[in-house]
Structure formats: structure tokens, C-alpha cells
Amino acid sequence: LDNFTTALTDPELLAGAGRVLRYGAMLVPAMLGLALLFALLLDLPRTRFRAFSRLAIFLPYAVPGIIASLLWGFLYLPSVSPGYFLLRAVGFSGPDLLQGDWLFLALTNIAVWGGTGFNMIVIYTSLRAIPPELYES
């Protein structure tokens, strides 16, 4: 019981739990909201390039984690990022996305990019399972 008492009174544990909750509060609504939006847009009868759009949205989920890590590491590193290069070209300095509060946004962006496609496919297949007669009623 002493170990539990020590762990539960440790301020680092509470701070870590707060960071996890903050990350989840940013990630879940963004990922599921975008997945729902994409699924509803793909379910519209007049959607053009439906197969290509499904593939383009789902493809980031299919990218292996090591490739995604290299990609985002390249995009977030100020010395090699094309985004930072463009900002410096017009006279601005970009934020350091790997420090402080920007880190939560950067990590959430990576998770949303990787997980939205899978959730979109799940929601889209659920929408396609609804019989068209129910829409008319």
C-alpha cells in the first residue's frame, strides 16, 4: 500500500495524467469529427471520384509507423522543413513545434493524420449499410 500511496501523491503522476487527458481531449473530437465529415461527404450521391477520395483519405492509416515518423520528423524539424523554409523566405520565423505547448498540437496532428482514414472507413461502411428506403421515410 505504501507504493500506491507514494505513486498517487506524486505530483508527476498527476501532471502526466493531466497531459494524457489534454491530449485525448484534443485528439478524439478532431479525429472523429473529421472522419464523420469525410464519411458523410463520401456518402453523398453526387460525390465525384469516390473511390479515389476513399483511398486518399485512408492511405495515411496504411503508412507504416516508421515511415510516418520520418515524414513528420522531416516536416517538424526547422532546419529541413519546407514549411519553415517558406516562412523564412517571406520573413517570418515559425514556432518550434517540438517544444512546449506546440508539442501537443504537433502530436495531435500526427495522430489525426494517421487515424482519421480508418475511422472514416468504419463510419462510411456503417452509412452504406443503411437501406436507402430509410432515407426516404
Side-chain angles (χ1 to χ4, degrees):
L1 292 175
D2 289 339
N3 288 340
F4 287 108
T5 304
T6 303
L8 293 175
T9 56
D10 186 8
E12 285 300 317
L13 177 72
L14 297 176
R19 286 189 290 270
V20 169
L21 290 174
R22 181 177 169 193
Y23 175 72
M26 292 170 65
L27 174 66
V28 172
M31 185 182 338
L32 292 180
L34 283 173
L36 178 62
L37 175 70
F38 291 145
L40 289 172
L41 288 174
L42 288 174
D43 195 44
L44 291 173
R46 296 180 301 232
T47 302
R48 295 182 185 176
F49 308 113
R50 187 174 303 189
F52 174 76
S53 299
R54 274 193 310 246
L55 179 66
I57 296 168
F58 182 73
L59 193 60
Y61 175 73
V63 172
I66 189 71
I67 303 298
S69 299
L70 291 171
L71 171 75
W72 288 107
F74 173 74
L75 291 175
Y76 285 161
L77 194 61
S79 60
V80 295
S81 172
Y84 284 101
F85 174 76
L86 292 174
L87 284 173
R88 280 192 301 271
V90 295
F92 294 109
S93 64
D96 188 2
L97 296 173
L98 300 176
Q99 296 288 327
D101 287 337
W102 287 102
L103 182 61
F104 284 106
L105 184 63
L107 291 175
T108 302
N109 180 47
I110 294 169
V112 167
W113 179 81
T116 300
F118 174 78
N119 290 308
M120 182 269 308
I121 291 292
V122 170
I123 295 170
Y124 178 70
T125 54
S126 300
L127 286 171
R128 298 306 299 165
I130 299 172
E133 298 83 36
L134 291 180
Y135 284 120
E136 295 175 6
S137 62

